[in-house]
Amino acid sequence: MDNSTIIPKKDPMGRAIADYFATGKAAKLRVLSSMFYEDEIPVDTLFRSYENMPRLEQCMLDISKGRVLDVGAGSGCHSVELQKRGHEVVAIDISELSVQVMKERGIDARLVNFFDGTFCEKFDTVLMAMNGIGIVGKVERLPQFFRCVKRLLAPDGQLLLDSSDLRYLFEEEDGSFVVDLAAGYYGEVDFEMRYKGVKGATFDWLYLDYNTLEYYANEAGLECSRIMDGEHYDYVACIKRKSC
Ligand code: SAH
């Protein structure tokens, strides 16, 4: 169980979201990792509308049903669209600043960590968009993740998520795949963000290939299906309770 949250002075992404919401612009949101070159998240993309979302995200919104939980909702871009379509939506995030912005946008947003066992409402759809399953951090935490999923899913509920298989980073030109098995699962990444003078803590972020996802879902007694493939090793999966 983990009920930690992020306070404003340690929250680069939340600051960027709050600035953009208040003024329509933001400074550079920098992303650092020991595994990649420095990158940047264009802050306006965190406020993307349905038309500007990748196809995989549009697909997840289109097949969302009933009462929806938007996990790690950020600025609330998916929640806003789902509410427009008449869904009842609850958005959770560990960023105080992001939750404040979402409340101002008219979303029922709560400062809740997904792994907090005391949050146990039921949802017809649990949505984890933009590699939302990244919050699991390490493969070894997947069993705990699926226990939380089972607590939150209504009997006929579905978990929708998109993720990417990072194997392309390790593929040789002849198609062979070289990973250091002793180094742990190849989709486990560390990130750190910076915005203006605000530096966040380093955090673990998981990119998960479909087969590993399906294996752990099945171990947890859940059914997993691949709904859609993206253009670059990315996919949408749907996870449900087993139909008897
Ligand atoms: N889904 C949004 C935001 C993605 S960024 C979008 O697609 O634009 C990931 C978000 O997850 C951040 O806002 C971060 O604060 C939140 N987050 C990270 N760990 C979390 C956890 N354990 N529980 C809930 N939210 C979490």
Side-chain angles (χ1 to χ4, degrees), residues 13 48 72-74 77-78 93-95 112-115 129-130 135:
M13 186 188 257
R48 59 202 178 280
C77 56
H78 301 98
D93 205 290
I94 55 173
S95 156
V112 169
N113 189 312
F114 178 82
F115 295 100
M130 196 178 166
I135 65 171

Side-chain angles (χ1 to χ4, degrees), residues 47-63 77-78 80-82 84-85:
F47 284 83
R48 59 202 178 280
S49 61
Y50 179 79
E51 291 68 35
N52 294 321
M53 286 175 190
R55 238 162 29 94
L56 297 186
E57 288 183 15
Q58 292 178 339
C59 160
M60 289 191 285
L61 293 180
D62 293 344
I63 61 178
C77 56
H78 301 98
V80 164
E81 175 64 25
L82 289 165
K84 256 198 239 165
R85 296 179 180 203

